[in-house]
């Protein structure tokens, strides 16, 4: 019985008609478990039997199946697509084949991906890939998900932002009303009294309570579990045995499997179908009517019973493997639950390799974690490889912590026991990288040197080539560019001699970055782009992420903002698509820095704050965001800026890398200059001058020279030999007005204002007025205060406009331009108040409130209240109070943060 779902059903029908006309899209059908998502979609599919409606499922396995929904429907779509999946083809080939099939289909199609809150990373990538192309296709993609299981840090939470808003529809299913529950009770011959209050209108809970007993006077079950158990009590032993067996299988049971069982087992299954406990789809696959029912049956079984049942299922799946489609992830799930050490050690590494090849690195780490429980029972070389692989996948997709470092040390010990010095060298090299991520530069160099020593004692091979390349990388990170290029070319020569493509990709990245940063050599960009092309072509996910990072940061450093936007967007999309969290957070920090350079301080603050709010991230992952946030808050004149700056400086000093220390020193110098603290300014500049390996890059060393000049020092700073970039050169030549024009043409208003603040004498009034105009939209309060102080000191205060006050100051401070009244409306909307309630609370007319709500929707780029509530859930910072100048008591990062 489908009640109170006419609206969602009509909306799905409308979208299907629109898709049939060539304007496809994505629909997210959302709601709590048991709310009726699957029943709604079944009703929709029944209405549209003339269309090609294909179903695929995500299951709560210990590690999800890579591309699970696509595997379910592949054979109904295209034999070639199925063959690609069976062969473990790279996602781009699989996705392109699917797109071809959808484009060539005779009839419009509907793809239904159920329970995507359990989806793997590759499936979410597929949704992004299709979602961006569906507006031009006769295809509707429907995703069902439990909205209460999607926390802000869930991978699915970012999905809506990656899809075109015009082709994305959200349908949130509400609980049933009291009359609807009463109608269900009447149809079941039960008294409806108390049922709605007990179930909160959850349709599945209502149906299970009503079906739990035929006694109309029986007490209500207190939970879904009790309702299901009451139904099971009326079954015979054979039926309960089959339900127990099926309950340990997440998802559907293929017809080929259950029909191969004993005749009495099949008969028991048929009786459960007749009773409505199990359901059979069009292809004969078997499943519980709802996942909640399966979980309730499973909860009856103790751990030992579950272990035996999983072992039984594993044996059945392997016995009927030629006839039954079963993934490595499913086999591993049952082996783990059966505590079958030998099968786990055999299956889990294969499942991990399959997941990693599809870009699902988080799932790969989960599979290897399962195998590590039995590492003590494995041969030495197998155990060593498990520790090594788990450390790699976990560091790539999950976290970098003491456990990952310990796994590398354990791998080293086991490889030494096995007599594999080459593998020892490999793990020493990887320890170097891990310590670099943690901000420990000295340890990183020590382990890199140890790896080289270990491997140079062996015949030259690929491990030695990569160890040399890592040495090149560390020299590049410490701004020792000549050494970086020398070691990189040495590694490149050996790699080409051995045909070692991976080291070639790595070395080209190091050499190209060193050439770009060392002297702005454009040959470096060509090498980086070649490294990226090879990495993408051969699925070297981490190497591709590193190129995106280095290219993106160079674009930001060299103020090529349009190119920076393109590279950072592409890099972030790639990192998210392949579960590369470490690189994602790093690039988001770079994005925050870009926004700061563009004068969009509130956006920079929000992006950087989001990264720093994530727990368990390494020092290097957090550092770009920490530097950006400290500088933003300093320019805003925030009270917490000094503490943020000192904390970021301490982290930078621990790395020993000039590229991380110099930006903080320059930010502290800027903050001292803005508050006219000459002693603090001298202290920071002296510390900068004492840094080793000063960069010859025209943007980096040009910035240092300018601050040297602004401090009143006439002699050039020591160890800076470069031709400064044009905007810096103009100011150094005594023409700050020309410098400001160049900064404005680039799109850097704060740098332009800082240049104008150096103008003295006759042109000071006009220059400071222009600086004030540039700074007002940025909310850089520390700079605004400095402009007015300089005007007073030079007697040109009358040239400046009066300070603006009032609620529009809040609009300038809010990253999306909301006024104080609009912020009040937004808070009330977020709390669930309707228009009339908001009008009463704010003492405004309903028409005025409607105008405010429309303005909020427009500024946030939203179309309705559901979209607004979802955005507030995903971006709670929007409700944070905004501080204006009345409530508050700053030079760009000098060096690119490279990887």
């Amino acid at each position: 019985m489908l009640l109170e779902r006419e609206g969602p059903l009509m909306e799905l029908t409308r979208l299907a008609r629109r898709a049939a006309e060539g304007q496809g899209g994505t629909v997210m059908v959302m709601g709590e478990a048991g709310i009726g998502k699957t029943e709604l979609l079944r009703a929709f599919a029944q209405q549209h039997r003339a269309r090609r409606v294909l179903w695929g499922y995500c299951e709560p396995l210990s590690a999800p199946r890579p591309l699970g929904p696509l595997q379910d429907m592949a054979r109904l779509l295209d034999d070639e697509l199925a063959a690609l999946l069976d062969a473990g083809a790279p996602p781009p080939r699989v996705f392109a084949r699917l797109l071809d099939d959808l484009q060539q289909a005779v009839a419009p199609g509907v793809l239904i991906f159920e329970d995507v809150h359990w989806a793997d990373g590759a499936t979410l990538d597929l949704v992004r890939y299709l979602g961006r192309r569906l507006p031009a296709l006769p295809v509707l993609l429907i995703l069902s998900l439990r909205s209460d299981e999607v926390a802000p840090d869930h991978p699915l939470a970012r999905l809506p932002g990656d899809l075109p808003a015009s082709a994305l529809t959200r349908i949130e299913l509400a609980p049933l009303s009291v009359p609807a529950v009463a109608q269900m009770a009447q149809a079941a011959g039960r008294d409806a009294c108390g049922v709605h209050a007990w179930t909160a209108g959850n349709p599945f809970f209502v149906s299970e309570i009503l079906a739990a007993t035929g006694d109309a006077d029986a007490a209500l079950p207190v939970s879904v579990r009790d309702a299901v158990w009451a139904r099971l009590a009326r079954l015979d032993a054979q039926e309960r045995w089959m339900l127990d067996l099926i309950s340990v299988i997440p998802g559907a049971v293929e017809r080929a499997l259950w029909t191969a069982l004993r005749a009495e087992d099949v008969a028991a299954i048929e009786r459960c179908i007749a009773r409505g406990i199990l359901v059979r789809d069009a292809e004969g696959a078997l499943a519980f009517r709802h996942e909640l029912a399966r979980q309730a049956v499973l909860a009856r079984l103790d751990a030992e019973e579950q272990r035996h049942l999983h072992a039984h299922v594993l044996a059945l799946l392997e016995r009927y493997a030629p006839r039954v489609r079963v993934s490595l992830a499913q086999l591993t799930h049952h082996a783990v639950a059966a505590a079958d050490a030998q099968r786990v050690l055999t299956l889990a590494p294969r499942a991990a390799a399959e997941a990693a090849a599809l870009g699902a690195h988080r799932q790969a780490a989960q599979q290897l974690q399962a195998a590590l429980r039995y590492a003590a029972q494995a041969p030495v070389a197998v155990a060593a490889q498990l520790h090594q692989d788990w450390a790699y996948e976990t560091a790539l997709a999950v976290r970098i912590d003491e456990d990952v470092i310990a796994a590398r040390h354990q791998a080293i010990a086991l490889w030494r026991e096995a007599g594999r010095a080459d593998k020892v060298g490999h793990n020493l090299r990887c320890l170097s990288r891990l310590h670099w991520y943690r901000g420990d530069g000295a340890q990183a160099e020590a382990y890199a040197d140890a790896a080289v020593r270990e491997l140079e004692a062996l015949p030259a091979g690929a491990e030695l080539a990569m160890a040399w390349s890592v040495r090149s990388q560390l020299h590049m990170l410490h701004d020792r560019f000549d050494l970086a290029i020398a070691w990189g070319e040495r590694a490149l020569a050996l790699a080409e001699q051995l045909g070692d493509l991976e080291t070639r990709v790595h070395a080209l990245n190091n050499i190209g970055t060193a050439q770009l940063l060392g002297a702005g050599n454009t040959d470096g960009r060509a090498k980086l782009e070649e490294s990226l092309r090879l990495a993408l072509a051969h699925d070297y996910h981490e190497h591709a992420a590193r190129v995106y990072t280095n290219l993106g940061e160079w674009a930001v450093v060299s103020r090529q903002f349009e190119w920076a936007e393109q590279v950072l967007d592409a890099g972030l999309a790639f990192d998210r698509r392949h579960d590369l969290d470490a690189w994602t957070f790093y690039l988001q920090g770079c994005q925050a820095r870009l926004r700061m350079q563009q004068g969009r301080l509130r956006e920079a603050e929000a992006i950087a704050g989001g990264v720093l709010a994530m727990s368990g991230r390494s020092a290097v992952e957090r550092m770009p965001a920490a530097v950006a946030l400290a500088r933003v808050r300093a320019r805003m004149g925030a009270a917490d800026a000094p503490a943020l700056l000192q904390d970021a400086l301490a982290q930078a000093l621990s790395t020993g890398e000039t590229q991380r220390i110099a930006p903080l020193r320059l930010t502290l110098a800027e903050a001292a200059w803005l508050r006219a603290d000459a002693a603090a300014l001298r202290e920071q500049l002296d510390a900068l001058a004492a840094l080793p390996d000063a960069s010859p890059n025209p943007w980096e060393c040009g910035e240092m020279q300018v601050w040297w000049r602004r401090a009143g020092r006439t002699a050039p700073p020591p160890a800076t030999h470069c031709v400064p970039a044009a905007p810096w050169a103009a100011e150094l030549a005594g023409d700050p007005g020309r410098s400001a024009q160049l900064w404005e043409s680039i799109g850097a208003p704060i740098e332009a204002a800082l240049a104008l603040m150096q103008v003295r004498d006759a042109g000071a009034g006009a220059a400071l007025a222009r600086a004030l105009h540039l700074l007002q939209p940025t909310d850089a309060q520390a700079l605004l205060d400095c402009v007015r102080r300089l005007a007073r000191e030079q007697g040109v205060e009358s040239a400046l406009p009066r300070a603006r006050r009032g609620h529009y100051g809040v609009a300038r401070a809010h990253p999306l331009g909301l006024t104080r009244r609009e912020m009040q409306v937004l808070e009330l909307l977020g709390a669930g108040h309707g228009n009339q309630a908001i009008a009463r609370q704010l003492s405004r007319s309903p028409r005025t409130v409607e105008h405010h709500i429309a303005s909020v929707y427009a500024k946030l780029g939203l179309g309705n209240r559901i979209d607004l509530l979802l955005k507030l859930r995903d971006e709670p910072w929007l409700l944070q109070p905004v501080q204006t100048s009345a409530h508050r008591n700053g030079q760009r990062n000098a060096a690119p943060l490279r990887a």
Side-chain angles (χ1 to χ4, degrees):
M1 182 182 297
L2 192 66
L3 298 174
E4 298 185 339
R5 297 294 184 252
E6 297 84 0
L9 199 55
M10 288 176 61
E11 179 66 1
L12 287 173
T13 300
R14 182 187 72 80
L15 293 168
R17 290 200 190 102
R18 183 176 173 184
E21 296 168 357
Q23 301 178 61
T26 305
V27 186
M28 301 177 75
V29 178
M30 303 178 292
E32 65 182 10
I35 202 67
K37 301 180 291 293
T38 299
E39 291 302 316
L40 171 68
L41 296 178
R42 285 176 181 157
F44 167 76
Q46 184 69 18
Q47 285 185 3
H48 296 271
R49 283 174 294 178
R51 303 180 192 275
R52 187 170 64 159
V53 180
L54 301 176
W55 294 70
Y57 303 89
C58 305
E59 297 105 355
L61 298 173
S62 54
R65 289 182 299 155
L67 294 175
L70 187 57
Q71 292 193 44
D72 290 338
M73 62 180 65
R75 282 161 181 78
L76 300 175
L77 277 163
D78 180 88
D79 289 340
E80 183 180 339
L81 177 61
L84 287 172
L85 285 169
D86 290 342
R93 288 186 61 196
V94 175
F95 296 176
R97 179 62 242 175
L98 173 61
L99 185 63
D100 287 345
D101 183 86
L102 296 176
Q103 289 172 328
Q104 295 167 15
V106 176
V110 177
L111 306 181
I112 298 176
F113 287 10
E114 280 261 49
D115 295 322
V116 293
H117 49 277
W118 290 321
D120 65 292
T123 295
L124 297 181
D125 293 342
L126 174 60
V127 172
R128 293 183 183 94
Y129 178 90
L130 290 177
R132 292 166 182 157
R133 292 159 176 81
L134 288 178
L137 292 174
V139 179
L140 186 65
L141 174 62
I142 303 177
L143 313 173
S144 74
L145 62 132
R146 295 182 186 175
S147 49
D148 55 336
E149 293 200 16
V150 181
D153 58 348
H154 192 289
L156 191 59
R158 298 193 294 259
L159 183 68
D162 295 335
L163 302 176
S166 61
L168 175 64
T169 303
R170 297 179 176 90
I171 297 177
E172 183 88 33
L173 299 186
L176 298 178
S177 65
V178 173
V181 172
Q183 187 177 341
M184 290 179 69
Q186 183 179 12
R190 293 288 306 274
D191 184 356
C193 181
V195 174
H196 186 274
W198 210 263
T199 63
N202 182 289
F204 179 74
F205 193 4
V206 172
S207 65
E208 288 302 308
I209 281 183
L210 296 177
T213 175
D215 182 358
D217 297 323
L220 289 172
V222 298
S223 67
V224 169
R225 186 188 66 182
D226 290 341
V228 172
W229 286 8
R231 296 186 72 181
L232 294 179
R234 303 201 302 272
L235 304 180
D236 63 38
Q238 190 66 31
E239 291 166 352
R240 286 198 298 272
W241 154 252
M242 289 313 303
L243 290 175
D244 288 347
L245 183 66
I246 295 169
S247 74
V248 302
I249 306 175
V253 182
E254 284 197 37
R255 184 179 185 280
L257 180 61
W258 70 266
T259 56
L261 301 174
R262 298 176 304 169
E264 56 267 37
D265 294 335
V266 174
I269 287 173
E270 293 287 0
R271 293 197 298 276
C272 290
I273 293 172
R275 293 177 187 275
I277 300 173
L278 298 176
V279 294
R280 179 171 40 197
D281 67 17
E283 296 179 32
L286 195 68
F288 279 87
R289 189 167 69 84
H290 197 281
E291 173 64 16
L292 290 175
R294 185 185 75 82
Q295 293 286 350
V297 174
L298 191 62
R300 292 176 61 249
L301 306 172
D302 63 32
E304 189 62 18
E305 287 176 311
Q306 290 189 33
R307 190 179 70 78
H308 283 298
L309 288 167
H310 278 289
H312 189 64
V313 169
L314 179 61
L316 285 173
L317 291 172
E318 293 188 322
R319 182 190 311 164
Y320 296 110
R323 298 166 53 184
V324 178
R325 288 181 292 118
V326 58
S327 69
L328 283 168
Q330 290 169 306
L331 291 173
T332 305
H333 172 80
H334 292 296
V336 170
D340 187 334
Q342 292 309 309
R343 299 305 296 140
V344 172
L345 288 170
T346 299
L347 293 167
R350 292 171 55 201
E354 179 183 77
L358 292 170
H361 295 284
R362 191 181 301 273
Q363 284 70 47
Q366 291 170 348
Q367 298 287 15
L368 292 162
Q369 178 70 57
L372 277 176
R373 297 173 199 164
Y374 304 103
Q377 302 176 41
V380 171
V382 172
Q385 194 68 48
L386 285 174
H387 283 95
Q388 176 178 311
D389 292 347
W390 177 83
Y392 177 76
E393 295 293 346
T394 303
L396 196 60
V398 185
R399 65 186 186 277
I400 296 172
D401 60 8
E402 294 297 337
D403 290 340
V404 173
I405 289 176
R408 286 289 181 187
H409 282 290
Q410 183 66 15
I412 288 171
L414 291 168
W415 284 126
R416 285 201 188 282
E417 184 180 342
R420 291 293 302 274
D422 58 329
K423 294 286 192 177
V424 171
H426 171 94
N427 283 277
L428 287 169
R429 166 172 62 81
C430 293
L431 277 171
S432 169
R433 188 66 171 161
L434 291 174
H435 281 284
W436 176 81
Y437 267 119
R438 288 162 64 86
D440 189 345
Q443 282 283 69
E445 299 225 47
Y447 278 113
D449 289 341
V452 170
R453 286 195 303 272
E454 189 83 31
L455 294 165
E456 284 184 341
L458 303 174
E463 287 292 354
L464 177 60
M466 185 60 85
W468 285 347
S469 190
V470 167
R471 210 66 202 82
S472 164
Q473 181 182 13
L474 286 172
H475 284 307
M476 177 267 291
L477 292 168
H478 284 83
D479 290 357
R480 301 189 289 261
F481 298 124
D482 290 342
L483 284 171
I485 292 169
W487 278 86
E489 289 177 344
R490 187 179 180 187
L492 190 60
L494 180 55
E496 290 177 349
Q497 177 186 330
L498 298 170
D500 178 5
L501 181 62
E502 184 176 8
T503 298
R504 183 183 174 202
V505 169
H506 192 270
L508 282 171
N509 190 337
N510 301 331
I511 298 167
T513 305
Q515 287 179 335
L516 268 182
L517 296 172
N521 186 335
T522 54
D523 289 345
R525 177 171 173 177
K527 287 185 174 67
L528 282 165
E529 289 173 343
E530 173 68 2
S531 177
L532 180 60
R533 184 188 66 79
L534 291 170
L536 293 175
H538 296 276
D539 294 319
Y540 293 135
H541 298 158
E542 185 182 17
H543 296 313
R546 197 166 74 93
V547 180
Y548 277 123
T549 297
N550 290 344
L551 271 176
E553 289 183 332
W554 167 249
V556 173
V557 166
S558 57
R559 276 66 171 188
Q560 300 178 65
F561 291 160
E562 184 176 351
W563 183 40
E565 297 279 9
Q566 294 170 3
V567 176
L568 292 178
D569 286 350
L572 284 167
F574 179 87
D575 294 347
R576 288 167 176 158
R577 192 161 62 243
H578 294 91
D579 285 345
L580 305 176
D581 282 358
W583 297 96
T584 300
F585 296 127
Y586 196 96
L587 268 194
Q588 284 180 315
C590 300
Q591 191 177 53
R593 181 179 174 196
L594 172 63
R595 294 288 175 264
M596 179 187 66
Q597 290 188 346
Q598 294 168 324
R600 296 154 66 175
L601 297 190
R602 283 292 174 182
E603 290 180 56
E605 180 185 37
I607 294 168
V611 173
L612 297 176
M614 302 297 293
S615 60
R617 310 318 307 182
S618 74
V620 168
E621 290 171 70
R622 295 165 54 86
M623 201 165 295
V627 172
L629 183 64
R631 188 156 223 174
V632 164
R633 298 291 285 166
R635 287 178 166 179
M636 288 178 171
D640 62 355
L644 289 172
L645 284 166
Q646 290 302 324
D647 183 61
L649 179 61
Q651 294 180 47
L653 288 170
S654 72
T655 70
E657 295 178 14
T658 299
Q659 64 150 332
R660 305 190 189 282
I661 300 169
L664 272 306
R665 293 290 186 197
L666 283 168
T667 302
L668 287 162
E670 177 185 283
W673 183 84
L674 290 172
R675 65 176 185 271
D677 187 341
L681 177 58
R682 284 195 302 272
E683 177 187 351
Q684 296 306 323
L685 292 178
D686 290 342
L688 271 169
L691 287 175
D693 310 312
S695 173
N697 180 272
W699 293 94
E700 297 172 11
C701 76
E703 183 172 16
M704 182 178 177
Q705 290 181 35
V706 160
W707 275 109
W708 200 265
R709 180 70 60 84
R710 288 173 181 172
R713 299 185 175 187
T714 54
T720 52
H721 308 289
C722 73
V723 178
W728 300 128
E731 184 174 336
L732 290 167
D735 193 350
R738 174 59 182 160
S739 175
Q741 291 174 357
L742 292 171
W743 285 121
E744 284 194 64
S745 69
I746 288 171
I750 294 179
E751 292 294 357
L754 279 165
L756 289 166
M757 291 158 71
Q758 314 309 314
V759 175
R760 297 293 183 268
D761 303 327
L768 291 174
R770 178 62 184 165
L772 199 68
H773 174 77
L774 291 170
L775 291 170
Q776 279 176 334
T778 72
D779 201 36
Q781 191 61 45
L783 279 84
L784 287 165
D785 292 344
C786 183
V787 168
R788 293 193 177 277
R789 176 177 59 78
L790 290 172
R792 288 194 301 273
E793 290 173 355
Q794 298 182 57
V796 293
E797 193 173 9
S798 61
L800 305 188
R802 295 181 60 186
R804 296 172 66 180
R805 294 182 173 83
H807 65 279
Y808 290 105
V810 176
R812 292 193 302 276
H814 194 279
L816 296 174
L818 297 183
T819 66
R820 179 174 286 112
R821 181 68 71 195
E822 288 165 352
M823 279 293 297
Q824 292 174 330
V825 170
L826 178 64
E827 290 169 5
L828 293 169
L829 287 169
H833 294 288
N835 292 18
Q836 295 292 336
I838 294 173
R840 287 194 299 272
Q841 190 149 338
L842 298 181
S843 301
R844 294 291 184 271
S845 71
R847 178 62 59 86
T848 298
V849 168
E850 288 175 9
H851 286 313
H852 285 314
I853 292 173
S855 179
V856 169
Y857 287 167
K859 290 180 179 180
L860 270 61
L862 303 172
N864 55 59
R865 193 161 301 194
I866 291 176
D867 286 346
L868 173 68
L869 294 175
L870 288 168
K871 189 174 184 69
L872 292 178
R873 183 196 68 187
D874 295 340
E875 301 178 38
W877 61 266
L878 288 169
L879 290 174
Q880 292 176 358
V882 175
Q883 291 186 326
T884 61
S885 58
H887 299 89
R888 280 188 299 271
N889 283 333
Q891 207 138 82
R892 210 147 281 50
N893 294 354
L897 303 179
R898 302 177 290 286

